[in-house]
């Protein structure tokens, strides 16, 4: 990394960071990823989203970190927990929205076979680490497992094309073309984002697109890639609580998120699982 880049912002408003900035993001990303590792054994049928969030808040503080989401635009929790057909921004402690062909759900306890995304963002020494993963309560349905696998692979296919000279459109294309070939759909209503010493910065990182479009990737850019994939149609709607986003057709949805930094060779993933808790050992 080259110090002449210090403080530089591109024409698209994207900040170019230094080698010391990479060290800050590495620390923050690893705290967030360690929390996602440590919460895994607590996910089970009967467990509640409210209790998981309390555990996560305690873990954030045990690391000497701060939660980026508590107090963010009026949000009150240390995590978002999005179950089944909830696409993102599920509120811990709120009743899990009732899905298609389900008996009415009135509490925040998991049922056998539920799939859920836990999204945690921490601030460590001023740097933001933002990551999410899928978990399973009990025994998953085969089609739910396949959705989770495809969503994780889609994120990694997006990350594979992160290198200087490629574009954000290349990332979106890699994700969209893979997902649609599996006859699943990519959510368009939410996107990834630049981050660093701020939570959300330019650019919007779309999970669909065309090769060669959008801004060119440069060494020192930091951003998230966080595709949401639906088994049914892509459309979403936000519930009356103003946060919870669900699929309009109530089909299952999954998401994985990493925070990455562009290097001279490709990229560094700041939020890799310290315990390598990925398929088949997510939870
Ligand atoms: N962590 C989410 C993201 O990936 C943002 C959550 S904002 C909250 O960008 F307020 F809903 F927590
Ligand atoms: Co994010
Ligand atoms: Co996030």
């Amino acid at each position: 990394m080259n110090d002449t880049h210090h403080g530089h912002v591109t024409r698209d408003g994207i900040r170019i960071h230094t080698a010391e900035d990479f060290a800050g993001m590495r620390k923050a990303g690893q705290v967030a990823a360690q929390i996602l590792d440590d919460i895994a054994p607590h996910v089970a049928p009967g467990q509640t989203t409210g209790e998981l969030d309390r555990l996560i808040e305690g873990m954030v503080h045990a690391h000497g970190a701060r939660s980026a989401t508590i107090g963010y635009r009026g949000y009150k929790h240390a995590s978002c927990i999005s179950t089944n057909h909830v696409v993102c921004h599920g509120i811990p402690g709120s009743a899990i929205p009732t899905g298609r062909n389900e008996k009415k759900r009135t509490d925040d306890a998991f049922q056998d076979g539920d799939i859920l995304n836990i999204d945690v963002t921490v601030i460590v020494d001023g740097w933001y680490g933002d990551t999410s993963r899928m978990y399973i309560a009990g025994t998953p349905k085969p089609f739910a497992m396949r959705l989770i696998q495809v969503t994780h692979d889609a994120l990694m296919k997006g990350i594979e094309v992160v290198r200087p000279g490629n574009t954000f459109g290349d990332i979106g294309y890699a994700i969209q073309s893979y997902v649609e070939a599996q006859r699943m759909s990519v959510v368009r209503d939410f996107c990834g984002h630049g981050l660093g010493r701020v939570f959300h910065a330019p650019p919007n990182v779309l999970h669909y697109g065309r090769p060669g479009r959008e801004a060119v990737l440069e060494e020192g850019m930091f951003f998230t890639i966080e595709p949401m994939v639906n088994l049914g149609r892509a459309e979403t709607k936000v519930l009356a609580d103003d946060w919870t986003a669900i699929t309009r057709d109530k089909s299952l949805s999954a998401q994985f998120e990493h925070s990455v930094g562009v290097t001279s060779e490709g990229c560094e993933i700041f939020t890799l699982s310290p315990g390598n808790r990925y398929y088949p050992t997510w939870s």
Side-chain angles (χ1 to χ4, degrees):
M1 211 72 34
N2 152 353
D3 267 338
T4 60
H5 275 150
H6 188 77
H8 169 231
V9 173
T10 68
R11 289 191 305 179
D12 306 286
I14 306 169
R15 179 164 296 281
I16 302 299
H17 298 86
T18 66
E20 302 91 277
D21 299 344
F22 273 76
M25 287 297 283
R26 202 170 293 139
K27 260 180 85 175
Q30 284 301 290
V31 168
Q34 183 70 55
I35 291 169
L36 291 190
D37 278 14
D38 293 342
I39 201 67
H42 298 278
V43 175
Q47 176 63 283
T48 64
T49 61
E51 176 62 12
L52 288 182
D53 186 70
R54 276 186 287 280
L55 291 167
I56 289 166
E57 188 174 348
M59 292 175 190
V60 171
H61 295 141
H63 282 280
R66 279 205 303 136
S67 167
T69 53
I70 296 174
Y72 175 78
R73 297 186 181 213
Y75 196 78
K76 294 185 171 61
H77 310 277
S79 62
C80 298
I81 304 182
S82 303
T83 307
N84 294 341
H85 65 293
V86 179
V87 172
C88 62
H89 302 162
I91 303 175
S94 297
I96 292 170
T98 304
R100 194 169 40 184
N101 303 327
E102 257 186 349
K103 283 205 308 238
K104 179 98 185 123
R105 295 176 80 140
T106 55
D107 66 15
D108 64 333
F110 298 121
Q111 297 176 6
D112 186 45
D114 283 348
I115 65 167
L116 53 135
N117 174 279
I118 303 182
D119 189 337
V120 171
T121 311
V122 297
I123 311 170
V124 178
D125 301 333
W127 295 99
Y128 285 69
D130 184 5
T131 184
S132 80
R133 280 181 220 161
M134 295 303 293
Y135 300 81
I136 298 150
T139 310
K141 303 278 188 293
F143 59 84
M145 278 310 288
R146 186 154 167 277
L147 169 67
I148 292 172
Q149 178 73 61
V150 166
T151 308
H152 182 260
D153 291 351
L155 167 60
M156 298 317 286
K157 282 176 190 292
I159 289 175
E160 267 170 35
V161 299
V162 175
R163 72 178 73 96
N166 281 356
T167 72
F168 284 96
D170 294 335
I171 298 173
Y173 178 76
I175 294 168
Q176 180 188 7
S177 56
Y178 172 69
V179 167
E180 291 180 352
Q182 314 302 313
R183 308 188 60 82
M184 298 181 191
S185 59
V186 174
V187 169
R188 292 167 186 247
D189 302 335
F190 299 92
C191 56
H193 48 93
L195 83 174
R197 266 191 272 255
V198 293
F199 197 170
H200 294 107
N204 287 332
V205 180
L206 306 182
H207 304 113
Y208 59 93
R210 291 169 181 256
R213 302 288 179 91
E214 314 297 338
V216 176
L217 299 170
E218 292 180 41
E219 182 178 357
M221 290 178 174
F222 295 165
F223 52 88
T224 73
I225 307 179
E226 48 182 297
M228 287 138 276
V229 175
N230 300 347
L231 272 184
R233 295 182 56 84
E235 287 74 17
T236 70
K237 71 172 178 188
V238 176
L239 298 183
D241 61 27
D242 275 347
W243 283 105
T244 310
I246 67 168
T247 54
R248 278 193 178 269
D249 65 6
K250 297 204 176 169
S251 65
L252 279 191
S253 187
Q255 179 180 28
F256 283 85
E257 174 177 27
H258 277 311
S259 297
V260 306
V262 183
T263 63
S264 60
E265 299 289 306
C267 79
E268 175 172 349
I269 305 174
F270 298 125
T271 49
L272 277 179
S273 163
N276 209 13
R277 280 185 174 272
Y278 295 104
Y279 184 84
T281 53
W282 279 310
S283 21

